[in-house]
Amino acid sequence: MDITNIKIIAEKEIAQAVTLEELETLRIKYLGKKSQLSKVLSGLGKLSQQERPLVGKAANECKIIIQSLLEEKVSAFKINSAESGVDITLPGIRKELGKEHIISTVLKDISDVFVKMGFCVVQGPEIETEFNNFTGLNIPLDHPSRESFDTFYIKTEKNRERLLLRSHTSPVQIRVMRENKPPLAVVVPGKVYRPDAVDASHSFMFHQVEGFLVDKNIKFSDLKGMLQKFAVEFFGSQIKMRFRPHFFPFTEPSAEADISCIICQGRGCSVCGRKGWLEILGAGMIHPNVFKHVGYKQGAYSGFAFGMGVERIAMLKYGINDIRLFFENDKRFLKQF
Ligand code: PHE
């Protein structure tokens, strides 16, 4: 076999080799003592004076090329193969793409309905002052929700205002109204905290969307109309809404709003407790004392506010029966949405 052929075949075989063992066999085959190249080199003496330099040069060049091809491939193998403990024949580890958490999606979907009506989105801090969370909202000192079992208080230096983890998003009403004059139309999505024992419907942390609108001559009918519109946009056109009288210290009058049960369409089932209605939010006309606390002139403005629990709404919309599923981070659950 002539030298050019040796080179061509060696190149091909080296390219096809997939293990270090195969490369070692090829090294012996092409560069070892019994290889054809070695035989050519050791037989140079028998050649004529004219042939000797030509054949010698070609054989040496061929040897150098095969040597470097082998070295290159061996070192590439060593970097990413058995030598470094990695088996490159194993299938790769697929990088999974993450996705938005279902609670973030619902939070945005709720806010978006109001953004389309002209509301803007404002976020407040999760650590709040006692004033913004309670006093400014007309929640008196002796109100039961002030007690520590309803609120996580934060150790605060003496003579400093007490801080806490906000127990609702309503303190953002105070923050926004103190800094801005009406007209205001604001939605506030965010986390809230309450020291509740965790069970299928309670969590020490959950999410709320607050909304409020302040201007001249805002009426309860404006509140009803906007929330009704929200219910239809969010749950579908067949949804009915009703308002029941309720009490919140920061609204007067106050109401709770129910939607017709989305499981049984109001006929009565286990989800709605045979009532046909599901409570989804608290609302009312902003109390005059709240306006007083933020420095608005008495009687100058009127407005409404509402607040809803996002987990509860997500559970109703997607038929989820345990709030803990949202926070356990089991991908099999989260992947479904
Ligand atoms: N902040 C109230 C709650 O957490 C909900 C609410 C907001 C009620 C605004 C009325 C007006 O229960």
Side-chain angles (χ1 to χ4, degrees):
M1 200 190 294
D2 72 22
I3 293 170
T4 320
N5 270 342
I6 295 177
K7 199 180 91 187
I8 290 170
I9 295 169
E11 273 174 357
K12 198 171 141 205
E13 287 189 355
I14 293 168
Q16 284 169 347
V18 289
T19 64
L20 282 172
E21 289 74 25
E22 278 173 19
L23 288 173
E24 178 57 13
T25 312
L26 291 175
R27 190 190 64 77
I28 294 164
K29 178 173 171 188
Y30 288 103
L31 305 175
K33 272 186 199 135
K34 291 179 188 161
S35 68
Q36 284 178 312
L37 265 185
S38 295
K39 276 181 203 152
V40 171
L41 287 166
S42 59
L44 283 179
K46 291 181 203 139
L47 297 177
S48 68
Q49 264 195 335
Q50 281 163 324
E51 274 183 319
R52 206 177 293 154
L54 294 175
V55 175
K57 190 168 176 253
N60 269 319
E61 275 174 5
C62 179
K63 191 175 160 183
I64 290 167
I65 287 171
I66 294 174
Q67 239 163 6
S68 67
L69 283 176
L70 282 167
E71 274 164 23
E72 246 173 56
K73 188 131 181 182
V74 166
S75 64
F77 268 21
K78 282 189 176 163
I79 289 168
N80 50 34
S81 76
E83 289 288 309
S84 60
V86 179
D87 181 350
I88 57 162
T89 64
L90 281 175
I93 299 166
R94 187 177 302 186
K95 292 253 189 299
E96 278 186 80
L97 262 191
K99 66 186 295 220
E100 191 172 68
H101 192 282
I102 178 64
I103 290 299
S104 302
T105 308
V106 174
L107 208 65
K108 274 194 206 157
D109 289 349
I110 295 171
S111 305
D112 280 353
V113 175
F114 292 100
V115 167
K116 278 191 210 152
M117 296 187 205
F119 285 62
C120 62
V121 178
V122 174
Q123 285 182 311
E126 289 164 29
I127 296 177
E128 259 301 358
T129 61
E130 197 168 27
F131 181 87
N132 289 343
N133 198 79
F134 292 124
T135 317
L137 289 164
N138 194 39
I139 303 177
L141 273 170
D142 57 1
H143 195 274
S145 65
R146 281 231 181 187
E147 306 250 322
S148 59
F149 58 80
D150 273 330
T151 307
F152 288 111
Y153 281 91
I154 291 168
K155 255 198 193 152
T156 319
E157 282 172 47
K158 267 196 187 133
N159 306 323
R160 282 267 191 122
E161 190 183 1
R162 272 218 286 183
L163 297 177
L164 45 81
L165 293 180
R166 66 178 179 191
S167 54
H168 52 173
T169 41
S170 301
V172 184
Q173 288 185 39
I174 304 298
R175 289 182 173 268
V176 171
M177 288 195 268
R178 274 181 142 183
E179 298 290 322
N180 302 276
K181 283 233 132 63
L184 293 171
V186 175
V187 271
V188 183
K191 287 185 166 68
V192 301
Y193 300 83
R194 292 180 192 175
D196 285 329
V198 174
D199 63 23
S201 53
H202 293 87
S203 168
F204 52 84
M205 182 282 297
F206 57 100
H207 297 76
Q208 287 188 333
V209 175
E210 183 92 6
F212 57 97
L213 186 144
V214 188
D215 202 349
K216 291 188 160 65
N217 289 319
I218 300 299
K219 297 179 287 297
F220 198 90
S221 53
D222 296 316
L223 169 65
K224 283 185 83 171
M226 285 206 177
L227 290 180
Q228 210 125 31
K229 179 82 185 142
F230 161 75
V232 166
E233 287 280 311
F234 190 80
F235 291 105
S237 56
Q238 73 291 350
I239 285 294
K240 290 199 264 310
M241 191 172 230
R242 73 173 185 185
F243 289 76
R244 287 176 287 103
H246 198 74
F247 172 79
F248 295 105
F250 36 93
T251 47
E252 181 59 35
S254 302
E256 270 187 344
D258 301 336
I259 53 165
S260 50
C261 180
I262 48 185
I263 309 293
C264 65
Q265 278 81 41
R267 271 175 260 120
C269 67
S270 62
V271 172
C272 59
R274 321 252 159 246
K275 290 193 225 84
W277 295 95
L278 299 163
E279 182 241 305
I280 61 156
L281 56 86
M285 301 307 288
I286 296 174
H287 197 288
N289 287 351
V290 175
F291 287 141
K292 196 162 87 190
H293 281 303
V294 298
Y296 288 175
K297 220 177 93 203
Q298 202 193 333
Y301 302 108
S302 57
F304 64 71
F306 57 84
M308 57 187 106
V310 176
E311 281 75 2
R312 183 173 160 76
I313 287 179
M315 287 166 82
L316 293 173
K317 185 162 180 178
Y318 295 99
I320 297 160
N321 59 11
D322 195 319
I323 195 171
R324 290 169 288 199
L325 288 166
F326 293 123
F327 310 120
E328 282 167 354
N329 281 337
D330 186 331
K331 279 200 286 184
R332 290 168 301 177
F333 170 75
L334 296 173
K335 258 162 57 174
Q336 299 175 80
F337 306 102

